[in-house]
Amino acid sequence: MNYPGFVFRALRDDGISAAALLEGTGLTEALLVDPHHRSDFGQLRRFYVNVIAASGDPHIGVRLAGRFRASQVGLPFLTAMHAASFADAIQMLGRFLRLTFPALAFEGPVVPAGGTGSDVSVSIRPTWPLGDIAYFATSGALVVCDGIFRALLQGTQVTQRAELVVAKPEGWDQVASEIPFPVRFEAERNALIFPASLLDTPLPTHDPINLQQLLGVCERLAIQARTGGSAAGQVLRHLEESGMFAASIGQVATALGLSERGLRRQLARSSTSYRRLVQEARYGKAQLLLSDPTRSIATIAFELGFDTPSNFTRSFKQWSGIAPSAFRSGVRPTDQPGRN
């Protein structure tokens, strides 16, 4: 809850009503400072939708991320800063950053497609279907990660340029100057690109003793996160990892070691349902598959468990407000009427 808690405190200090930020989320101020609390994606999505609406700023994700400090990431950053080199630190962030940002996976470094090897990139892949908070989450994540990189190298500018999957938002030119690197939109992935020569840079804060102690703590927390967490989060992870979107709630409950009745009850307490989570998972997967031009819409429909392409098209329109063919051609949804 590090980042949602930071966002809540920052906006409350800016004079925005706590009630407006928390409306319909099931969250409280106490839960936002509870280190043991794990919110499900439905709660966090509604919270960030409230943040955008209450602030009246479509670029609030970028601006909040610029105020976030690397030390606030907590254990993943503290562990990475004790690594021997920048490359080792990136590898540790890839393993543990989800302890702070569970909706995002940090991957790399790799040589960008078509690159010469002089540059490398790390990508930030959503692990949950972000939908209408995609720009908020991914743009903010890139800014936060750039801040982490600069903190690890004690002020050195690391990122040369960045890429975002989302379309360029209206008014971007008003906020671009607040970011220390250029951004290319409608890319194939969300990524930060920087010189490969930085990877071998020794970290000035390297400490092998503290590193081993912190690695042990992070490993234990990672195991708890994989086996614990909210029922909604477990269902989403199971659907995304298995790809069995047509599975019944009973089948999923059995896979998670729960009874069907118990799972339904836990999902209801999180103000969600199995049907809604299947829609969330399918919508996220559909967006990824539609970005691959070699896959036909009919093939995608069957991969997602639909019996006909027309049923898939109908559902995608309900989720996004546009047809799959329009999404594939570059049109991006402005609303998700079927998911609110």
Side-chain angles (χ1 to χ4, degrees):
M1 294 299 288
N2 298 44
Y3 199 70
F6 157 76
V7 169
F8 176 79
R9 293 189 298 274
L11 293 183
R12 185 189 56 190
D13 291 346
D14 288 347
I16 294 179
S17 161
L21 295 171
L22 300 178
E23 182 183 2
T25 65
L27 298 172
T28 64
E29 294 188 42
L31 289 177
L32 287 169
V33 298
D34 183 351
H36 304 293
H37 178 72
R38 293 289 182 270
S39 294
D40 61 51
F41 175 63
Q43 290 177 305
L44 293 180
R45 174 183 167 273
R46 176 59 188 268
F47 172 68
Y48 290 132
V49 167
N50 290 350
V51 164
I52 297 167
S55 67
D57 182 1
H59 307 293
I60 190 66
V62 171
R63 293 190 165 114
L64 285 169
R67 296 163 62 179
F68 190 69
R69 297 293 172 260
S71 60
Q72 293 172 286
V73 173
L75 277 169
F77 172 72
L78 292 175
T79 304
M81 70 181 290
H82 291 302
S85 68
F86 187 46
D88 292 338
I90 290 175
Q91 186 266 334
M92 289 170 195
L93 290 171
R95 291 170 62 189
F96 302 124
L97 199 58
R98 285 185 67 180
L99 294 175
T100 302
F101 300 100
L104 301 167
F106 182 91
E107 302 171 338
V110 299
V111 176
T116 62
S118 61
D119 291 340
V120 292
S121 68
V122 295
S123 60
I124 298 172
R125 177 178 56 82
T127 58
W128 291 337
L130 299 177
D132 50 358
I133 63 167
Y135 169 57
F136 174 96
T138 55
S139 63
L142 290 187
V143 173
V144 167
C145 286
D146 175 70
I148 292 173
F149 289 170
R150 286 186 283 111
L152 289 170
L153 296 180
Q154 296 197 343
T156 299
Q157 180 60 44
V158 176
T159 305
Q160 293 180 319
R161 62 189 188 278
E163 299 177 341
L164 279 172
V165 172
V166 298
K168 183 178 179 178
E170 184 178 350
W172 170 254
D173 292 341
Q174 300 170 13
V175 74
S177 62
E178 301 176 29
I179 301 174
F181 48 82
V183 179
R184 180 172 72 89
F185 292 92
E186 297 187 68
E188 294 182 356
R189 60 197 178 131
N190 307 301
L192 295 170
I193 301 161
F194 56 91
S197 59
L198 289 175
L199 291 174
D200 294 330
T201 304
L203 294 194
T205 48
H206 172 51
D207 185 323
I209 295 176
N210 280 334
L211 176 62
Q212 291 306 312
Q213 292 175 331
L214 289 165
L215 279 173
V217 175
C218 282
E219 290 285 7
R220 289 194 295 274
L221 290 175
I223 291 171
Q224 292 175 14
R226 287 194 297 269
T227 58
S230 70
Q234 292 183 61
V235 169
L236 274 173
R237 283 192 295 273
H238 176 77
L239 291 171
E240 290 161 0
E241 292 170 3
S242 69
M244 298 175 62
F245 302 107
S248 68
I249 185 173
Q251 291 172 315
V252 172
T254 299
L256 296 177
L258 302 168
S259 69
E260 180 177 336
R261 181 179 179 185
L263 178 57
R264 288 185 186 277
R265 186 166 56 246
Q266 291 188 52
L267 294 180
R269 282 202 295 265
S270 297
S271 302
T272 191
S273 67
Y274 179 69
R275 180 176 179 275
R276 178 170 181 175
L277 293 174
V278 170
Q279 290 178 332
E280 295 275 3
R282 275 177 161 166
Y283 181 49
K285 185 68 172 179
Q287 293 178 82
L288 292 175
L289 295 177
L290 286 167
S291 67
D292 180 356
T294 65
R295 281 187 166 93
S296 69
I297 289 178
T299 298
I300 293 172
F302 294 127
E303 283 190 54
L304 294 174
F306 289 92
D307 51 1
T308 66
S310 61
N311 283 340
F312 166 58
T313 297
R314 187 179 305 110
S315 292
F316 194 87
K317 284 182 177 179
Q318 291 175 344
W319 300 331
S320 67
I322 59 175
S325 56
F327 183 93
R328 170 166 275 175
S329 67
V331 178
R332 288 297 178 262
T334 57
D335 191 18
Q336 286 72 34
R339 303 173 67 243
N340 291 329

